[in-house]
Amino acid sequence: MAFDVAAVRGLFPALGDGWVHLDAPAGMQVPEQVATAASTALRAPVSGPGGNFPASQRAEAIVEAARRAIADLVGAKPSGVVLGPNSAVLLGRLADALGDGWMIGDDVVVSRLDSPANVDPWQRAAQRSGSTVRWAEIDIETCELPTWQYGELVTPRTKVVAVTAASGAVGTRPDLRPAAEAADEHDALLVVDASAAAPFVPLDITELGADVIAVNASAWGGPQVGALAFRDPAMLDHLPSVALDHSARGPERLEMGPHALPLLAGLVASVDYLAGLDDAAIGPRRERLLTSLRAVKSYQAGLLNTLHNGLRKIDDVMLIGDSMRRIPAVAFTVSGVKAEDAVAHLADRGICAFADPGTHGVFAALGAAEVGGAVCVGLAHYTNTTEVDQLLQAVAELT
């Protein structure tokens, strides 16, 4: 495997600003090829789909290319890919559509590890129908999601099990097999938010046992576009339609209004960028994606190990969570220092990071608000050892 971080950094014009971008959980910077694809689509004549002229056919080609790109990324079929502004909006539409058929006594299972995008829509749908929300809790020491609890949480009245493939806040990658098996046993829908995992982990919707996977292209350097991938595309025709065209079929049933075509062109380029992260990757795009993401995973593992070991050596710094399976996202506290003051200190030294006051589900469960919140950093494809060393030095100055 050949992952060259110096070559990858050369793809990102934004890195010329001189800042250390450790804010990847909020979205990676955009590579040049993505910006070029979007701007080229803006300059080309496009129209609405359905016409017998080039501008309309170009629009249809962009949409179909975007469906194929997401399908390649997650191992799904293009006919099962729904496109939209972001995963939160699309999950909201899915929850609205499914929730119309729920009744009092039904329930949904969500987790403390998930972001609000895969929790709030299900809570709202349950509230409207009088259904119950059941919570999968985390291990407060490791931030793991204990697998045994799904055998108790999922019942014959469970309609949806919503869980993350990886936490963008603390990095935990839970084992999804027990949740998938419990959902399958009781004919519940397993909805996996893979937005934080997609930039770092090879995904396969069938192997995960997911019925639906949600992703955001901005997570890996794409534009602000989201997608839902359905393992069984036929399911889409059984959902209530939210489309303006009431005769819409397939993924168009969950797509409201016209697509932002330049952004979809950028989405395709961003998946191609992922497929090219290992310059030795060959074959169809799906195979190149798997090869490249394995190379990314290997590179990030070494970088994350350096970061973890460095933070553990700093007095008064406490890492939040210690899961065995993880993506390169880290949260920590500094004794006696509020998280917002810590990230201001990092910003003064040219480092981008975020503070969570303790409101995120996992941090609320851990009581992070009581110690002034948590500092959250995330490594990107373009992060190098020099930048990790800069972070460690800046954190050490806080103690």
Side-chain angles (χ1 to χ4, degrees):
M1 297 182 184
F3 179 86
D4 184 346
V5 69
V8 171
R9 289 180 67 84
L11 303 175
F12 291 83
L15 298 185
D17 67 354
W19 282 74
V20 175
H21 290 276
L22 298 179
D23 52 346
M28 291 191 194
Q29 301 304 309
V30 177
E32 177 64 26
Q33 68 197 76
V34 174
T36 298
S39 63
T40 298
L42 276 169
R43 291 192 294 269
V46 292
S47 181
N52 294 318
F53 48 92
S56 178
Q57 292 164 357
R58 187 175 294 111
E60 291 179 2
I62 290 174
V63 173
E64 290 309 310
R67 295 197 203 282
R68 289 195 301 272
I70 293 297
D72 283 346
L73 180 66
V74 303
K77 298 175 181 177
S79 58
V81 173
V82 180
L83 302 167
N86 55 61
S87 62
V89 168
L90 292 174
L91 286 168
R93 293 179 192 169
L94 178 61
D96 289 345
L98 293 172
D100 284 345
W102 297 350
M103 300 180 293
I104 294 175
D106 291 337
D107 63 68
V108 295
V109 177
V110 297
S111 91
R112 302 288 182 191
L113 195 61
D114 274 76
S115 74
N118 201 28
V119 173
D120 290 358
W122 306 113
Q123 287 182 302
R124 290 194 299 269
Q127 184 177 24
R128 288 193 300 270
S129 63
S131 302
T132 302
V133 176
R134 298 162 69 88
W135 288 89
E137 303 290 348
I138 59 168
D139 183 315
I140 61 173
E141 296 294 331
T142 64
C143 289
E144 296 276 10
L145 198 58
T147 56
W148 55 263
Q149 60 190 317
Y150 282 96
E152 299 178 358
L153 288 169
V154 184
T155 74
R157 298 300 300 269
T158 301
K159 298 301 182 182
V160 168
V161 179
V163 65
T164 187
S167 167
V170 296
T172 304
R173 284 180 54 212
D175 180 359
L176 300 183
R177 286 174 298 177
E181 291 169 358
D184 184 63
E185 180 183 353
H186 295 293
D187 293 324
L189 200 71
L190 181 66
V191 179
V192 176
D193 184 357
S195 296
F200 306 108
V201 181
L203 297 172
D204 187 299
I205 191 169
T206 301
E207 289 184 4
L208 288 174
D211 294 292
V212 184
I213 284 183
V215 293
N216 274 324
S218 59
W220 61 78
Q224 293 289 341
V225 178
L228 300 181
F230 285 71
R231 182 172 47 166
D232 180 7
M235 178 186 170
L236 286 159
D237 286 329
H238 298 287
L239 294 175
S241 176
V242 301
L244 300 180
D245 178 3
H246 297 297
S247 65
R249 304 291 294 175
E252 294 179 357
R253 294 175 67 81
L254 288 180
E255 296 172 349
M256 185 181 298
H259 290 293
L261 296 172
L263 298 186
L264 293 188
L267 165 64
V268 177
S270 73
V271 176
D272 288 336
Y273 149 76
L274 282 179
L277 284 172
D278 185 332
D279 58 16
I282 58 174
R285 183 170 55 194
R286 172 65 178 168
E287 293 181 15
R288 288 184 283 118
L289 278 164
L290 295 176
T291 299
S292 289
L293 289 173
R294 290 186 188 108
V296 168
K297 185 179 175 183
S298 177
Y299 168 75
Q300 294 286 354
L303 211 59
L304 184 61
N305 187 58
T306 299
L307 177 57
H308 269 195
N309 289 339
L311 288 172
R312 288 190 178 101
K313 292 176 183 177
I314 302 175
D315 292 338
D316 298 323
V317 170
M318 185 183 75
L319 282 169
I320 297 178
D322 189 25
S323 61
M324 296 296 293
R325 290 160 38 96
R326 57 187 307 119
I327 61 169
V330 176
F332 61 91
T333 62
V334 182
S335 180
V337 181
K338 290 183 178 180
E340 60 185 23
D341 294 332
V343 297
H345 169 84
L346 296 178
D348 288 341
R349 283 146 186 80
I351 300 172
C352 303
F354 283 101
D356 188 292
T359 56
H360 187 287
V362 63
F363 296 132
L366 293 169
E370 299 173 6
V371 293
V375 178
C376 303
V377 298
L379 310 183
H381 301 146
Y382 41 75
T383 305
N384 58 27
T385 54
T386 299
E387 292 179 324
V388 171
D389 289 341
Q390 287 178 255
L391 172 65
L392 293 173
Q393 181 179 347
V395 173
E397 294 172 358
L398 285 164
T399 61

